[in-house]
Amino acid sequence: MSPSTPRNTVTVRGTVVIDVEACKGCDLCIDACPPRVLEMTTREANAKGYRYPRLLAGCTGCQACAQICPDFVFQVYKYDTPLELPLDDEGGQ
Amino acid sequence: MSDDRIFISTDEPPAESAALVDDFTPSLITQANHHLCPGCGEPIAIRAAVEAIEELELAERTIAVFGIGCYTAFAHNLDVEVVQALHGRAPSVATGVKRMLPEGFVMTIQGDGDMVNEGLQEVLHAAARGENITCLLLNNGVFGETGGQMTTTTTLGQRTKTSIEGRDPHQHGHPILLSDLAATMDGAAYVARCAVNNAGNVARTKRYITRAYESQMAGAGFSLVEILTMCPTGWFVDTLEGPDYLQDTLAPVHNIGELRTP
Amino acid sequence: MSDRALLEGSEAMARAAVAAGCRFFTGYPMTPFTELLEHMAALLPQVDGVCMNAESELEAVGMAWGAATTGHLAATGSTGQGLSLMQESLSEITNARLPLVVFNMARGQGDYFQATRGGGHGDYRHIVLAPMDVPEAVELTRLAFDLAGQWRTPVMVLGDYFLAHTYQAVSVPSIDGAAPKVPDWALNGSTGGSGAAKIISPLGSGTEGEEGFDLGAHFADCAAHIQALEAGVEPLVDVGFCDDAELVVAAYGSVGKFVRYACLQLRDSGHRVGYIRPITLWPFPSQAVQDAAAGSAKVAVYEQNMGQMIDDVRLATLGAVPVEFIGGPSWDHSGFGIGPDINVPDISERILEAMP
């Protein structure tokens, strides 16, 4: 794989802050997220023993997660100018 | 296959300049953590209800009359004035409040067990009387607080702890479609049904609630919004399956849409 | 200035209620309560008040509950049967610390226990006032609203068919006076968004803290309030000729007026009989009953039921003197408890039979 292949990037319009300790691991945000950039942890759990969501690149700041979260764990931001972020560490498979 | 995807830190607000569009708990909910079950739809509905109060700048005129069910946890957890009523009686209590405070914004927050079982006469009389109040019905088709028994809105075939093999019309009768009933009352100005099982429906719920509030403020008469909510615990399904269970079990019977508008 | 007029009991009580500042009334028609509802329906609009013909007694007491949370003086009522439907709410309204006046225009006197023990659930009591006639009903109606507001609790006025439908000349304060100021605890929405919005709940006003709120503490607080009520409300009682009485006769309400008159006549004819008429049925005037019975050889209790207030008389005297029941359920064919047995000769006969 030649070093010159462009890295896999995605336009990111927003981000979230997640109050991990408030989460009850219900998964509702995962399917609600249109770009599907939330994913539940598999091993990590919060103090109450619940798994919680983690964010991948591609958030649009659309607030779907916050609106459907029964425990209000999301803070949602919209970037003034969208960012270009790498999807993964290498040039992509 | 090693996972080399990059996870973005979500501990702190972003360094880059950005606008905050949602800030954890709505300001009219006092205490962030509550003891309702994981995957419960009621906090989602209550969030939509209090956000609409804030957006219409009604907070300083609102009196919310609570029925009794899981959502009662929020009666002591809202930053609007609250009257806690008895099971089923909220529409009558709200009537007394509204008659003495005509300029107040008076609403009820009830469940299906509260409104469609215990308090059916209260809500239908309030609708027939055209009482200028807004009733919110959180309908999950079971008694959630007591662990998932059948209510009058449980659908045929739906399994609960008191309809173990599924609701059977010969033994358990047929579900009552509350919004459809209320929509036949000439005193009703606005009646709609929605759900909180996906982001689109949550947005629709917010729209319908806002229209119901506006109908009250315009003095148009009785308004009711029925909100289908998930109750994974009371449905004995995984939290992740809640939204689909609602779509497959409640929504086909309790149809979503606006049933009566001014 | 009060106007003196020949009024039906129901109307006199309605006027007294509005004069006392009642601005919300609701009820469901039921004999002999109906006329009180009708008069309130006529009077309240004249003072910008609200009167509602509720679709059921359950909804009536619910509406009165809601109106009371706004700090305006509210009332409701029915007859015994309708009151049965209201008991659940009355017990919760007590714990929600709301002023409310409840009129039971009863059929006979079988509702004594319902009124004084409360037919609702849990630990609660509320004040009960039992007038004997229209003038006293006017006074006690005003007192009921004053006590309800002062103690923030339900107060019952226990009337009956006689009281509702007897016309008597009475002076009733005018209804033109302004309603009392709305108290600070009342709701009007204004504390919304302040970070400390008010709540009125039978479960207390604790807010959902880290560990939720403490119901134990709230119920202890409710118990303390009822004890304070019992100690702080001076029970009204009407006593006569007991100093040298051999027999003391106890009775209440309209029936009490007939019993009192029988005692007056027996006194005139030389019989050493006295009477005691509790007016406040809760808190019960136990001390007064004890004192009245002290010099006597026996207490007789006349009630138009199977014997209910007799329990309180026994509790008040604690065996110091024999207590005999000389009343009984009404013979009235109509079932409204105004029948032939409420007459002085028959009552006098029973009293004489009971003389020690």
Side-chain angles (χ1 to χ4, degrees):
Chain A
M1 192 176 68
S2 72
S4 64
T5 48
R7 296 194 56 180
N8 239 329
T9 63
V10 65
T11 308
V12 178
R13 299 182 197 290
T15 188
V16 292
V17 172
I18 300 174
D19 179 355
V20 163
E21 290 312 318
C23 179
K24 292 179 187 161
C26 76
D27 284 59
L28 289 184
C29 54
I30 306 304
D31 290 344
C33 175
R36 298 198 67 80
V37 290
L38 285 172
E39 188 181 275
M40 292 302 276
T41 58
T42 48
R43 277 187 304 284
E44 299 83 353
N46 64 17
K48 290 185 270 193
Y50 290 116
R51 292 178 302 107
Y52 52 85
R54 293 184 303 174
L55 179 66
L56 291 161
C59 171
T60 65
C62 76
Q63 304 174 61
C65 54
Q67 290 298 312
I68 202 161
C69 172
D71 295 288
F72 320 130
V73 312
F74 290 97
Q75 210 178 30
V76 182
Y77 290 86
K78 268 208 167 101
Y79 290 125
D80 295 344
T81 53
L83 310 177
E84 280 301 315
L85 292 182
L87 269 175
D88 47 44
D89 291 334
E90 285 147 25
Q93 266 64 54
Chain B
M1 194 269 289
S2 72
D3 181 356
D4 53 18
R5 294 170 304 159
I6 296 176
F7 284 95
I8 294 171
S9 160
T10 56
D11 305 333
E12 296 296 333
E16 301 80 359
S17 67
L20 173 63
V21 292
D22 222 306
D23 195 4
F24 298 124
T25 309
S27 63
L28 292 180
I29 291 179
T30 320
Q31 171 75 27
N33 58 12
H34 53 77
H35 52 270
L36 301 191
C37 309
C40 174
E42 295 191 347
I44 306 169
I46 286 176
R47 175 192 190 114
V50 297
E51 282 180 347
I53 289 174
E54 207 172 352
E55 282 150 22
L56 293 173
E57 294 174 355
L58 293 170
E60 289 179 16
R61 298 164 57 183
T62 297
I63 291 177
V65 183
F66 271 77
I68 293 180
C70 297
Y71 51 87
T72 305
F74 279 92
H76 292 256
N77 191 16
L78 292 190
D79 195 19
V80 293
E81 292 190 3
V82 161
V83 178
Q84 178 62 56
L86 269 175
H87 199 41
R89 314 306 168 204
S92 308
V93 174
T95 297
V97 178
K98 184 73 177 189
R99 290 297 176 114
M100 297 313 286
L101 282 177
E103 293 317 305
F105 176 73
V106 182
M107 61 188 288
T108 76
I109 298 178
Q110 304 172 253
D112 46 314
D114 188 278
M115 181 188 280
V116 194
N117 278 52
E118 183 72 40
L120 185 60
Q121 71 177 38
E122 274 78 3
V123 64
L124 291 183
H125 285 146
R129 203 181 322 121
E131 205 64 49
N132 200 21
I133 58 177
T134 303
C135 291
L136 299 186
L137 163 59
L138 310 182
N139 181 9
N140 55 21
V142 287
F143 282 103
E145 191 169 31
T146 44
Q149 297 77 27
M150 186 179 80
T151 70
T152 46
T153 62
T154 301
T155 57
L156 296 185
Q158 184 178 346
R159 300 181 62 217
T160 74
K161 285 170 78 178
T162 45
S163 59
I164 295 170
E165 300 309 320
R167 182 171 191 172
D168 160 18
H170 308 298
Q171 190 184 350
H172 310 117
H174 296 262
I176 294 175
L177 312 185
L178 193 279
S179 289
D180 302 71
L181 262 182
T184 64
M185 299 286 171
D186 290 334
Y190 182 83
V191 179
R193 186 187 284 119
C194 40
V196 288
N197 60 332
N198 58 52
N201 276 341
V202 172
R204 180 202 298 256
T205 296
K206 182 79 169 291
R207 277 200 311 277
Y208 287 174
I209 288 178
T210 301
R211 287 183 196 147
Y213 289 178
E214 285 163 344
S215 144
Q216 175 180 159
M217 294 325 292
F222 180 79
S223 50
L224 175 115
V225 179
E226 176 179 348
I227 306 152
L228 304 181
T229 60
M230 297 79 75
C231 179
T233 306
W235 294 343
F236 310 100
V237 299
D238 187 272
T239 53
L240 196 54
E241 298 158 12
D244 289 341
Y245 185 95
L246 185 151
Q247 207 61 44
D248 305 336
T249 309
L250 292 186
V253 178
H254 302 284
N255 305 127
I256 287 172
E258 291 180 308
L259 288 87
R260 191 174 177 126
T261 54
Chain C
M1 199 288 291
S2 64
D3 8 315
R4 193 149 176 78
L6 180 65
L7 294 180
E8 180 185 39
S10 303
E11 180 173 4
M13 292 168 75
R15 286 188 168 281
V18 177
C22 177
R23 288 300 177 270
F24 182 87
F25 191 84
T26 179
Y28 187 94
M30 190 168 187
T31 302
F33 161 78
T34 310
E35 286 73 15
L36 182 55
L37 176 62
E38 287 172 355
H39 287 297
M40 290 302 268
L43 289 169
L44 277 172
Q46 297 172 31
V47 293
D48 296 335
V50 173
C51 182
M52 296 188 72
N53 183 359
E55 294 87 350
S56 78
E57 287 89 351
L58 285 176
E59 293 165 84
V61 70
M63 293 174 192
W65 182 333
T69 66
T70 68
H72 295 284
L73 287 173
T76 185
S78 182
T79 187
Q81 291 79 342
L83 260 298
S84 292
L85 291 176
M86 297 185 173
Q87 294 299 322
E88 182 195 19
S89 290
L90 292 179
S91 47
E92 297 283 336
I93 287 168
T94 307
N95 280 350
R97 213 59 66 76
L98 285 170
L100 180 73
V101 174
V102 183
F103 295 93
N104 178 0
M105 306 305 280
R107 300 174 178 182
Q109 297 197 311
D111 298 345
Y112 182 90
F113 279 155
Q114 178 197 70
T116 58
R117 282 4 179 222
H121 54 280
D123 252 330
Y124 77 103
R125 307 300 291 270
H126 49 62
I127 300 168
V128 183
L129 306 173
M132 72 171 185
D133 59 16
V134 179
E136 193 172 67
V138 166
E139 280 168 40
L140 294 181
T141 296
R142 162 172 287 284
L143 178 61
F145 282 97
D146 293 346
L147 288 171
Q150 178 197 342
W151 291 93
R152 282 177 63 182
T153 182
V155 177
M156 172 172 285
V157 177
L158 181 55
D160 58 31
Y161 198 104
F162 279 111
L163 181 61
H165 299 149
T166 300
Y167 280 72
Q168 225 171 326
V170 66
S171 55
V172 182
S174 78
I175 62 169
D176 310 334
K181 193 177 77 56
V182 168
D184 299 342
W185 53 261
L187 303 187
N188 56 24
S190 61
T191 61
S194 69
K198 294 182 201 170
I199 173 171
I200 290 183
S201 164
L203 304 177
S205 54
T207 50
E208 183 77 29
E210 275 301 320
E211 71 306 319
F213 57 87
D214 185 343
L215 267 186
H218 172 62
F219 290 137
D221 188 42
C222 291
H225 177 67
I226 287 168
Q227 280 150 4
L229 199 60
E230 187 165 21
V233 173
E234 187 49 41
L236 301 173
V237 62
D238 170 15
V239 183
F241 313 111
C242 288
D243 300 344
D244 68 341
E246 285 175 350
L247 175 73
V248 171
V249 187
Y252 75 91
S254 306
V255 169
K257 185 167 187 177
F258 283 84
V259 167
R260 188 174 76 161
Y261 186 73
C263 290
L264 296 182
Q265 278 196 323
L266 289 171
R267 253 300 152 167
D268 289 349
S269 52
H271 296 282
R272 287 173 49 220
V273 62
Y275 70 86
I276 181 161
R277 180 175 63 89
I279 299 169
T280 308
L281 302 185
W282 195 87
F284 190 72
S286 300
Q287 190 56 54
V289 169
Q290 206 176 84
D291 298 345
S296 74
K298 186 176 180 183
V299 173
V301 180
Y302 186 93
E303 296 171 78
Q304 209 189 20
N305 53 35
M306 291 166 56
Q308 296 185 22
M309 185 177 76
I310 191 168
D311 282 11
D312 287 334
V313 173
R314 287 195 179 113
L315 281 172
T317 53
L318 289 177
V321 63
V323 177
E324 181 185 335
F325 184 66
I326 61 170
S330 165
W331 307 340
D332 182 356
H333 308 301
S334 75
F336 292 139
I338 46 173
D341 44 333
I342 308 298
N343 71 61
V344 174
D346 175 70
I347 293 170
S348 303
E349 207 178 291
R350 294 179 185 221
I351 293 174
L352 286 175
E353 275 164 32
M355 288 297 280

